[in-house]
């Protein structure tokens, strides 16, 4: 087998295009023949009650240290990145593999939340984020006035 020519390099993106019915489903970096770095948008449940918002984000395969939770200009940013490396050496071969996982999600926060009271915990593949609400002072009940 000879070396790969420039004409041959266009073969794989064309095969992918024909198979998937789209021009570039993996966002190919044609210089390197690898998909460009991308991220996944995880599913999330948002539960609201009188005292707080609770977010339950599906993120299996990550660890607590992989997460970054920040608030900036009224927006809650949640992200996680993980890189896995596997190296194996045997008598007649050497194997080296790696994979990269990344998730990101952002939420606009209402004005009536406490930015400084946000809490996050990761358990069993789910990131739990609690966003407390500011306490609203109760107002006097409405009083009906009869018009005379």
């Amino acid at each position: 087998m000879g070396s790969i020519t420039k004409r041959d390099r266009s073969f794989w993106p064309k095969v992918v295009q024909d198979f998937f019915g789209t021009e570039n489903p993996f966002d190919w970096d044609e210089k390197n023949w690898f998909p460009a770095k991308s991220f996944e948008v995880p599913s999330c449940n948002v539960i609201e009650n009188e005292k707080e918002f609770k977010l339950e984000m599906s993120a299996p395969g990550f660890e607590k240290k992989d997460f970054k939770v920040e608030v900036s200009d009224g927006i809650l940013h949640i992200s996680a990145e993980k890189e896995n490396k596997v190296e194996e050496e045997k008598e007649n071969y050497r194997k080296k593999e790696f994979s990269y996982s990344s998730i990101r999600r952002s939420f606009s926060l209402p004005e009536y939340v406490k930015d400084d009271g946000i809490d996050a915990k990761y358990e069993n593949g789910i990131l739990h984020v609690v966003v407390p609400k500011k306490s609203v002072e109760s107002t006097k009940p409405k009083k009906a006035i009869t018009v005379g």
Side-chain angles (χ1 to χ4, degrees):
M1 297 183 96
S3 63
I4 297 174
T5 65
K6 186 172 183 174
R7 183 179 67 80
D8 295 334
R9 289 185 186 195
S10 65
F11 172 75
W12 288 112
K14 176 69 174 139
V15 168
V16 170
Q17 178 181 354
D18 291 345
F19 183 76
F20 288 101
T22 182
E23 184 147 335
N24 202 353
F26 300 116
D27 195 20
W28 289 98
D29 176 358
E30 294 184 14
K31 292 178 187 169
N32 297 317
W33 278 28
F34 290 106
K37 183 177 167 183
S38 63
F39 61 90
E40 186 179 330
V41 178
S43 58
C44 185
N45 296 326
V46 179
I47 304 157
E48 181 182 9
N49 62 37
E50 293 176 7
K51 298 185 329 184
E52 62 201 6
F53 290 96
K54 293 180 183 179
L55 307 174
E56 300 171 339
M57 183 178 298
S58 174
F62 289 92
E63 297 176 27
K64 286 192 269 188
K65 65 180 178 62
D66 300 328
F67 287 94
K68 188 174 176 182
V69 180
E70 300 176 320
V71 176
S72 173
D73 297 323
I75 298 177
L76 174 66
H77 301 279
I78 301 171
S79 62
E81 294 182 351
K82 183 173 187 154
E83 184 176 2
N84 294 317
K85 293 181 182 179
V86 176
E87 293 186 36
E88 185 179 338
E89 271 191 61
K90 297 278 184 170
E91 188 175 314
N92 57 352
Y93 73 91
R94 181 177 181 179
K95 178 174 108 175
K96 197 174 195 181
E97 295 179 347
F98 69 94
S99 65
Y100 180 82
S101 302
S102 177
I103 60 172
R104 291 188 187 143
R105 190 87 192 247
S106 296
F107 300 90
S108 294
L109 297 175
E111 292 180 18
Y112 54 89
V113 299
K114 293 181 189 178
D115 291 356
D116 58 349
I118 296 174
D119 184 41
K121 291 183 179 144
Y122 183 68
E123 294 178 316
N124 302 323
I126 307 243
L127 178 68
H128 300 272
V129 180
V130 177
V131 182
K133 294 180 180 180
K134 293 179 184 175
S135 60
V136 179
E137 294 179 19
S138 61
T139 58
K140 294 181 182 180
K142 294 181 183 179
K143 180 180 175 185
I145 300 173
T146 41
V147 178

